[in-house]
């Protein structure tokens, strides 16, 4: 199977590296020229459990047109650039190409459908954790399941084929007939953790150790759950708030992707996480004041990167 990973950030490198290490034809695509050059010259370096794994048989490019058509595109760009990235990568798409989003936030599926057609799009959620250490070098900070599904809930042969490729590479795969529920479960985690870590600078686990941040986490998640319930999303969770707290505990040493973004003064995905909850709340007539405050505070951080050092 020929695979392109659109977005070679930390998570894109982890997935691309694992698949390439298993012998698959993998190309990483990213606009970060220094990162791409480092991979081209030295291979991709993945630090796992304190040891470096150097993957030499992986390709990296800045221009998708160098790759040609592929069997699978794994989309892991920031949600803020999904539409732009996919429009620029249409040369990857052939008659039988499938496009799998493992991104955070809401709205990615709709953007991909607009670009390539609903029949080509798969959705999924990753429970892995990763951090970018330097150009060409990432840390695989935590393992977990990769949940994938068709948008119509069917378990197609195409879906199972892709799942089989992941499994042969050593990735744990769960097939879902309720992939929207899985996406919303991941969204709840991001709603509860990401903005708070970006604002406070705390690692994930510290949020539930401090009374004040734990209370804010719970309130933000409850607002998001009210939106999910109003939309008829089956979360398949007995206690969504405790689920998010459990994830914070299990990923306690991790620095969230949003914290990494504000540390490096990059645009965050706040629009498609807490911002998406606020937007949905307006449309549904449901008040989401805690998510609004978190959204506004992260936006202030983004707007004042050159004024304030935290």
């Amino acid at each position: 199977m020929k695979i392109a990973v659109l977005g070679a950030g930390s998570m894109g490198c982890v997935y691309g590296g694992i698949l390439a290490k298993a012998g698959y034809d993998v190309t990483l695509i990213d606009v970060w020229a220094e990162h791409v050059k480092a991979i081209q010259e030295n291979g991709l370096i993945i630090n796992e459990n304190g040891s470096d794994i150097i993957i030499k048989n992986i390709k990296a490019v800045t221009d998708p047109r160098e790759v040609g058509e592929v069997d699978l595109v794994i989309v892991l760009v920031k949600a803020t650039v999904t539409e732009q990235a996919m429009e620029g990568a249409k040369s990857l798409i052939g008659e039988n190409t499938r496009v799998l989003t493992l991104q955070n936030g809401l709205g990615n599926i709709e953007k991909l459908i607009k670009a390539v057609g609903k029949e080509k799009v798969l959705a999924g959620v990753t429970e892995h954790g990763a951090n970018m250490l330097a150009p060409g070098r990432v840390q695989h900070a935590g393992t977990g399941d990769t949940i994938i599904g068709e948008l119509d809930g069917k378990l197609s042969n195409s879906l199972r084929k892709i799942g089989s490729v992941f499994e042969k590479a050593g990735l744990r795969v769960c097939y879902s007939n309720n992939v929207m529920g899985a996406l919303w479960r991941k969204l709840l985690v991001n709603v509860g953790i990401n903005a708070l870590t970006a604002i406070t600078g705390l690692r994930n686990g510290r949020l539930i150790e401090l009374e004040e941040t734990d209370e804010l986490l719970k309130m933000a998640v409850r607002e998001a759950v009210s939106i999910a319930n109003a939309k008829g999303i089956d979360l398949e969770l007995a206690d969504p708030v405790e689920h998010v707290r459990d994830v914070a505990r299990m990923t306690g040493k991790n620095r969230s992707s949003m914290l990494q973004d504000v540390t490096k003064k990059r645009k965050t995905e706040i629009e498609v996480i807490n911002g998406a909850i606020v937007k949905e709340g307006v449309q549904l007539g449901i008040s989401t004041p805690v998510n609004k405050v978190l959204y506004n505070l992260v936006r202030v951080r983004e707007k004042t990167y050159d004024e304030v050092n935290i």
Side-chain angles (χ1 to χ4, degrees):
M1 181 175 282
K2 187 176 181 182
I3 302 168
V5 180
L6 188 60
S10 56
M11 197 66 72
C13 284
V14 165
Y15 272 85
I18 289 172
L19 290 165
K21 185 170 179 285
Y24 292 103
D25 181 354
V26 179
T27 303
L28 301 175
I29 304 169
D30 203 275
V31 296
W32 186 12
E34 184 183 7
H35 181 48
V36 167
K37 184 179 180 183
I39 296 169
Q40 290 172 338
E41 293 179 350
N42 306 311
L44 173 65
I45 302 171
I46 300 179
N47 182 273
E48 192 162 20
N49 299 321
S51 299
D52 284 346
I53 302 167
I54 303 175
I55 299 162
K56 292 283 192 179
N57 66 319
I58 193 166
K59 292 167 280 188
V61 300
T62 56
D63 187 349
R65 292 174 295 182
E66 296 180 34
V67 183
E69 293 182 2
V70 299
D71 300 301
L72 174 64
V73 180
I74 303 174
V75 183
L76 278 163
V77 295
K78 291 286 186 185
T80 51
V81 298
T82 298
E83 190 170 10
Q84 176 186 351
M86 197 67 245
E87 282 295 327
K90 284 190 174 179
S91 58
L92 303 172
I93 308 300
E95 184 178 350
N96 298 313
T97 305
R98 299 306 302 270
V99 177
L100 170 64
T101 170
L102 294 175
Q103 299 160 279
N104 289 331
L106 296 183
N108 294 301
I109 292 172
E110 292 78 6
K111 292 171 185 175
L112 294 176
I113 288 173
K114 182 180 177 181
V116 303
K118 186 174 183 178
E119 72 284 353
K120 292 188 177 298
V121 178
L122 300 168
V125 171
T126 175
E127 295 179 348
H128 288 257
N131 300 308
M132 183 66 69
L133 300 176
R137 180 181 171 86
V138 299
Q139 179 186 35
H140 191 184
T143 61
D145 292 335
T146 303
I147 303 167
I148 57 175
E150 295 276 5
L151 301 184
D152 62 7
K154 295 178 181 177
L155 301 182
S156 66
N157 290 334
S158 176
L159 180 72
R160 291 190 180 279
K161 182 178 179 181
I162 291 166
S164 176
V165 167
F166 282 21
E167 288 172 333
K168 287 176 182 176
L171 294 163
R172 295 204 314 262
V173 174
C174 292
Y175 301 99
S176 175
N177 58 10
N178 176 26
V179 72
M180 293 307 298
L183 290 174
W184 270 84
R185 288 196 299 275
K186 179 66 178 291
L187 178 64
L188 295 184
V189 171
N190 290 331
V191 161
I193 293 174
N194 287 22
L196 276 171
T197 59
I199 294 162
T200 63
L202 297 172
R203 293 178 185 264
N204 294 2
R206 197 76 175 107
L207 295 179
I208 60 172
E209 294 173 351
L210 297 171
E211 180 181 349
E212 295 83 358
T213 48
D214 191 34
E215 182 180 16
L216 289 169
L217 180 154
K218 292 174 182 177
M219 294 168 71
V221 173
R222 286 177 186 135
E223 289 178 0
V225 170
S226 70
I227 300 294
N229 290 340
K231 292 176 68 68
I233 304 293
D234 182 5
L235 295 170
E236 299 179 338
L237 291 171
D239 190 332
V241 171
E242 284 308 305
H243 169 70
V244 176
R245 296 182 78 248
D246 285 343
V247 172
R249 188 178 296 108
M250 289 185 293
T251 62
K253 295 182 180 179
N254 287 9
R255 300 172 75 247
S256 79
S257 58
M258 196 173 291
L259 174 55
Q260 293 180 58
D261 284 338
V262 296
T263 301
K264 296 178 181 177
K265 299 184 177 182
R266 299 185 303 219
K267 185 172 178 60
T268 73
E269 294 181 308
I270 192 67
E271 293 282 352
V272 297
I273 299 176
N274 302 81
I277 296 303
V278 174
K279 183 178 178 181
E280 293 279 357
V282 170
Q283 293 173 350
L284 293 166
I286 297 173
S287 180
T288 58
V290 175
N291 279 279
K292 181 64 173 178
V293 169
L294 294 175
Y295 168 79
N296 283 351
L297 287 173
V298 174
R299 290 290 289 126
V300 168
R301 287 217 63 182
E302 290 179 333
K303 291 179 178 181
T304 59
Y305 281 154
D306 294 332
E307 301 174 38
V308 181
N309 288 316
I310 298 178

